[in-house]
Amino acid sequence: MGLLLKNISALLSVYENAPQKLSGAEMKKLPVIENAWLACDNGLIADFGSMDDFPGITDWKNLEVIDCTGKTVMPSFADSHTHIVYAGNRSQEFVDRINGLTYEEIYNRGGGILNSAKKLRGTSENDLFEQALERLKEIISQGTGAVEIKSGYGLNVESELKMLRVIRRLKETNLIPVKATFLGAHAIPEEFKNNKQGYIDLIINEMLPAIEKENLAEFIDIFCEKGYFDEHETKHILEAGKKHGLVPKVHAEQMSHSNGIKAAVECNAISADHLEFCSDDDIALMKKSDIMPTILSGAAFFLNLQLPPARKMIDAGLAVAFASDFNPGSSPSGNMKLMMSLACIQYKLTPEEAINATTINTAYAMNLQNEVGTITNGKLANLIITKPINNYGFLPYAFGSDLIDTIILNGKVWK
Ligand code: NIG
Ligand code: FE
C-alpha cells in the first residue's frame, strides 16, 4: 500500500537531483515547498510537489493518506557516528567527573573505554543485541532514519567480532539503514598495557582478516589521541584496513592536537570526527580533500570540552556534519534534534545549516547520500512529520521539546 502525505505546511530539503553534500555557503540553502504533497511507494519517495499541482488519483483504495495541515515534513536525521552497542552504562563515571576526576584520569585508572570493555566481554551476544535494539528504537523515535554503529568495546578478537555481529543483526532488523565500523583501535586493552605494538599486530593480523571473511564492516575507525594511538599508528592501521576493503574514519583532535586530521586526509578518510583541537592548518588540509568534518556536539557538551571551530570551517568553505556519538562515556544521548540545537546555540549555525549538517552531510559521512538525507524521488522514504509549527527554525529553537508527531520508515508509519 502506498502512502500519501498532503497539505504539508513545509516540505524541507527538496531536490530533483540531490547534491552529494553541501559545503560552505551552500549549507545555508534549504529548498522548501510550502503547501506540499509527497507520495511514497515500495518504501521509497515516489513523487512530491505543490498542492496547487496535486495530481488526479484514481486508486485511492491502495493509498493511506495523512493530512499534514500545519505540519512540517523533513528527511529523517542521519547519524553518522554512534557506539550504541555497549553493555550497561557508566553513570558512576558521570558522578566521578562531577566530583572532580577528568576523563583522562578515569581512563588511566582502568575506567572509561576499558570499563565498557570489561562489561561487554562479560555480556552475551543476545543480551548485547537486546540492549542495543532498545537504543536503536529510542533514536528512531527521536527522528533518526539511518545510523552508523562502531565496535570498539571488545578490544579482543572474540569480543570485537561479537560486537560486529550484533551490529549485523541490528542491520538485519531492516528498521533503518545501518553501517558498521570496526573500531578495534579504540583503546589499548589491559592485557596489552605494556605492549601496544602487540595489540596493533592483533588488530592487523587477526581482527581485520576475520572481519573481511565474514564481511562484518564497511568502515575502519581509530581513536588518534595522546595515550591511545598516535598519527603514525593511525595511518598504519588505516592502511591495513584499506587492504581489507574498509574505508577510513578517524576520531581526531578531541582532547589534544594529535595530527588525526592529517592522518585522516592522507589516508583519504571519508570523515574526521570530534575536531575540538582543529587548527587553521587542519582546515586548509581538509579543504584540499573530500573529507566530511564531523562535529559531535553531544560529546563536547557532556565532557565540557572546548568547542570545535565549526563556524570557521563553514566560513572557510568546508562542509560540516553534526552527529551524536551516542555512547556510554562521552555522549549518553543519540537525540539528533538536540545535536542540531547545539549546532545553532553553541556553534552559531543557522537552522538551515544545522538541518543540512544532520541530514545530507551526515548521510555523506557514511556513504548513504544516494539513499537518504534529502527529499528526492527514489530515496528511502524515511521521514519526520513534525507537530504543527510555524517555521522550521522552531525545531532547533525549542531545544527541549520533541516536536515529532509521526515517524515514517520505508514509506510506512512507524509505531
Ligand atoms: O567518541 N573518543 C573516543 N571514543 C568515544 C568515547 C568512548 C567512551 O568514552 O566510551 C567518543 O567520544
Ligand atoms: Fe566516538
Side-chain angles (χ1 to χ4, degrees):
M1 184 142 105
L3 176 71
L4 173 70
L5 310 183
K6 52 182 244 190
N7 301 321
I8 303 166
S9 165
L11 180 63
L12 310 186
S13 194
V14 291
Y15 290 94
E16 209 171 297
N17 296 301
Q20 294 286 295
K21 60 177 173 173
L22 294 169
S23 306
E26 295 167 348
M27 284 188 71
K28 278 211 170 61
K29 291 192 203 141
L30 185 71
V32 176
I33 302 178
E34 282 171 10
N35 194 24
W37 60 272
L38 179 146
C40 313
D41 195 29
N42 275 323
L44 306 179
I45 297 171
D47 210 352
F48 58 86
S50 159
M51 288 300 291
D52 297 341
D53 312 307
F54 191 61
I57 289 177
T58 46
D59 192 12
W60 287 99
K61 267 212 308 277
N62 283 315
L63 206 54
E64 181 181 355
V65 181
I66 301 180
D67 182 1
C68 297
T69 301
K71 299 170 180 175
T72 290
V73 173
M74 62 176 276
S76 292
F77 296 116
D79 191 349
S80 61
H81 185 136
T82 80
H83 310 245
I84 62 169
V85 177
Y86 60 84
N89 64 67
R90 305 223 301 269
S91 58
Q92 181 54 47
E93 292 178 5
F94 173 59
V95 177
D96 294 341
R97 282 194 302 105
I98 292 168
N99 287 325
L101 284 183
T102 64
Y103 185 83
E104 193 183 356
E105 284 163 348
I106 291 170
Y107 176 67
N108 290 338
R109 295 169 156 201
I113 295 167
L114 298 178
N115 180 359
S116 284
K118 246 171 267 158
K119 289 189 164 87
L120 186 134
R121 288 175 178 185
T123 304
S124 73
E125 186 182 310
N126 274 336
D127 196 0
L128 260 185
F129 172 73
E130 291 303 329
Q131 292 186 39
L133 183 61
E134 275 306 301
R135 294 178 198 119
L136 182 66
K137 288 181 181 167
E138 182 191 15
I139 61 174
I140 288 172
S141 74
Q142 293 170 332
T144 294
V147 68
E148 180 260 18
I149 310 172
K150 300 174 197 294
S151 71
Y153 293 128
L155 308 181
N156 63 26
V157 179
E158 181 198 337
S159 296
E160 281 297 308
L161 293 177
K162 177 168 76 178
M163 285 189 80
L164 290 167
R165 290 188 190 115
V166 168
I167 298 171
R168 181 166 61 194
R169 284 173 65 181
L170 294 170
K171 190 185 302 201
E172 286 167 356
T173 62
N174 288 321
L175 288 166
I176 59 174
V178 170
K179 291 279 192 168
T181 298
F182 169 55
L183 176 60
H186 196 192
I188 298 103
E190 212 80 71
E191 60 276 22
F192 284 95
K193 202 169 166 181
N194 302 310
N195 178 18
K196 182 162 44 159
Q197 190 54 47
Y199 184 56
I200 294 174
D201 292 343
L202 187 76
I203 290 174
I204 293 176
N205 300 327
E206 296 194 36
M207 293 184 191
L208 281 172
I211 289 162
E212 183 176 18
K213 192 158 161 237
E214 287 188 50
N215 195 14
L216 284 170
E218 281 132 290
F219 301 109
I220 179 166
D221 197 345
I222 177 158
F223 190 19
C224 182
E225 184 62 57
K226 230 184 350 186
Y228 297 78
F229 300 91
D230 69 21
E231 174 193 348
H232 305 287
E233 291 157 346
T234 296
K235 284 170 63 175
H236 183 55
I237 294 169
L238 293 183
E239 289 301 337
K242 281 161 81 170
K243 293 203 182 95
H244 292 277
L246 305 180
V247 173
K249 285 175 162 276
V250 180
H251 279 68
E253 332 298 352
Q254 183 187 15
M255 319 270 181
S256 66
H257 191 268
S258 302
N259 284 329
I261 291 176
K262 181 166 169 275
V265 168
E266 287 174 8
C267 292
N268 265 319
I270 188 166
S271 76
D273 302 32
H274 283 292
L275 315 181
E276 278 75 358
F277 287 81
C278 172
S279 68
D280 290 354
D281 287 348
D282 291 327
I283 290 179
L285 265 181
M286 289 194 284
K287 279 273 291 179
K288 292 194 210 122
S289 76
D290 290 324
I291 205 164
M292 180 59 70
T294 303
I295 311 294
L296 306 174
S297 45
F301 172 65
F302 190 71
L303 295 183
N304 271 308
L305 302 175
Q306 69 174 51
L307 299 183
R311 182 73 264 158
K312 208 171 183 182
M313 291 178 195
I314 297 173
D315 292 343
L318 278 173
V320 168
F322 272 71
S324 79
D325 199 19
F326 193 174
N327 78 74
S330 67
S331 185
S333 168
N335 188 332
M336 286 293 282
K337 182 176 167 292
L338 175 61
M339 304 308 147
M340 174 175 75
S341 288
L342 292 172
C344 295
I345 298 162
Q346 297 191 301
Y347 299 81
K348 306 287 178 221
L349 270 68
T350 65
E352 294 80 9
E353 289 172 327
I355 291 170
N356 288 325
T358 48
T359 54
I360 178 171
N361 281 1
T362 34
Y364 174 95
M366 52 177 157
N367 202 14
L368 278 176
Q369 68 275 23
N370 296 324
E371 278 81 37
V372 298
T374 61
I375 300 295
T376 303
N377 292 352
K379 282 197 178 181
L380 205 57
N382 285 8
L383 315 164
I384 296 170
I385 305 176
T386 72
K387 293 181 178 150
I389 54 174
N390 287 331
N391 64 74
Y392 56 76
F394 200 78
L395 295 169
Y397 159 81
F399 73 91
S401 307
D402 104 55
L403 296 182
I404 293 176
D405 177 280
T406 304
I407 299 289
I408 307 292
L409 294 185
N410 303 306
K412 294 197 177 68
V413 173
W414 186 68
K415 294 187 179 93

